[in-house]
Amino acid sequence: MVNPQTDEIRPISVSESPEDKFREFLEIRGEKLTDPRRVLVRHIYSTHKHFDADELVRDLHDSGRAISRSTVYRTLRLLVDAGLLRELRLTNRTAYEHDYGYPDHDHLHCTSCNKVVEFRNEEILKLRDAVSRANGFRASGHRFLIEGVCSSCSRSHSPRRRLDLI
Amino acid sequence: MVNPQTDEIRPISVSESPEDKFREFLEIRGEKLTDPRRVLVRHIYSTHKHFDADELVRDLHDSGRAISRSTVYRTLRLLVDAGLLRELRLTNRTAYEHDYGYPDHDHLHCTSCNKVVEFRNEEILKLRDAVSRANGFRASGHRFLIEGVCSSCSRSHSPRRRLDLI
DNA sequence: ATACATGCAAACCTTTTGCGACAAC
DNA sequence: GTTGTCGCAAAAGGTTTGCATGTAT
């Protein structure tokens, strides 16, 4: 019998702040940590949760630090390239999660309500990487997504809705 | 050491043709297997590969059996509901694969060129379902997607492109 | 001056929908 | 006639881009 037990997912201690890591990344490319970028990276790392571009635009607008939609999208791309964020391409939108100071893990995604649940299972991590390698996929940057229907959605037979990410 | 060996994925013998299964499904709902729908289900099941809506529209148009974009999308939804097709929500589009007469399996998805590779690993199938169940996700309808970067993409450093599905 | 960033609006892409025309029973 | 389907064109939703303006060396 397989063991579905999943390990805890808790922050890894890192020496550099996300902001510093971002600044460093930008400097190497001859770019700058501007005001809007700093606001974004700080806001994003102020809470550990999944989010999307629209949420960011809304939150910052509501807190009086409005940043244009294009800047948000452009900065998100930079943060991904900098290794600070990871993209989760879901049903209709792209969600992001912290990819710095956080251990390797995988996700369950409810295709009905869009809920995302994180889990960490050593066995799956190993198998995932082994299968990837066996198929010539690069060893880093993988992420498993288990698509399914969560309990609340399979109870109610309502069709696809957009709910919050977790 | 984990074993990345994957089993062969070959057709399962089924008693009913996809077209018949579709007709049956439609009849139950008081709907009909019309001409465009028959053309679509036949075309889709004439080759075993992943495809998307746009490809279908293009292929049928090019072979002189043009079917409108809306009908294609509407029929794809029906085929999914009928259990004939399975959706793979990828980066920017939705790909489809046969879900009838084909064994349970998972996918590797290259987020750079959009290539999709199928694999079947017993251990992963078991773990996938165990973890899903442990998190209250419905036992059927799961699919793993390993996101990564395939060998040709990690060699060339070209950015995200849209290539063919496999 | 130069090099890069920003905001806006327009463009883009994929998918969905409203609607008038049409076909089957 | 009623019911359901089709194609068209428009709309919708998420994301990207062109461009003129602005800012820091």
Side-chain angles (χ1 to χ4, degrees), chain A residues 1-6 77 80-81 87-92 94 106-111 115 117-119 121 123-124 126-154 157 160, chain B residues 1-6 77 80-81 87-92 94 106-111 115 117-119 121 123-124 126-154 157 160:
Chain A
M1 190 49 199
V2 291
N3 179 9
Q5 218 56 54
T6 59
R77 166 104 39 116
V80 169
D81 290 348
E87 291 179 349
L88 297 174
R89 306 256 169 89
L90 306 182
T91 309
N92 338 267
T94 303
D106 297 303
H107 307 89
L108 284 148
H109 171 217
C110 174
T111 52
K115 185 166 68 171
V117 178
E118 300 183 334
F119 72 89
N121 176 297
E123 205 54 34
I124 285 187
K126 278 185 217 149
L127 281 162
R128 168 193 100 167
D129 291 339
V131 169
S132 299
R133 225 173 304 115
N135 284 276
F137 271 55
R138 200 168 62 195
S140 72
H142 304 301
R143 225 53 150 205
F144 258 157
L145 208 57
I146 306 186
E147 308 238 306
V149 179
C150 72
S151 50
S152 44
C153 283
S154 57
H157 286 272
R160 278 167 209 132
Chain B
M1 190 52 201
V2 291
N3 179 12
Q5 217 55 57
T6 58
R77 165 107 36 119
V80 169
D81 290 348
E87 291 180 346
L88 297 174
R89 307 251 170 93
L90 305 184
T91 309
N92 336 267
T94 303
D106 296 304
H107 306 89
L108 284 148
H109 171 218
C110 174
T111 51
K115 186 165 71 171
V117 178
E118 300 183 333
F119 71 88
N121 175 297
E123 204 54 32
I124 285 187
K126 275 185 222 150
L127 281 162
R128 169 192 98 169
D129 292 339
V131 169
S132 298
R133 223 172 307 115
N135 284 276
F137 272 55
R138 200 168 62 196
S140 72
H142 303 301
R143 225 54 151 203
F144 257 160
L145 207 58
I146 306 186
E147 309 237 307
V149 178
C150 73
S151 50
S152 45
C153 283
S154 56
H157 287 273
R160 278 165 209 133

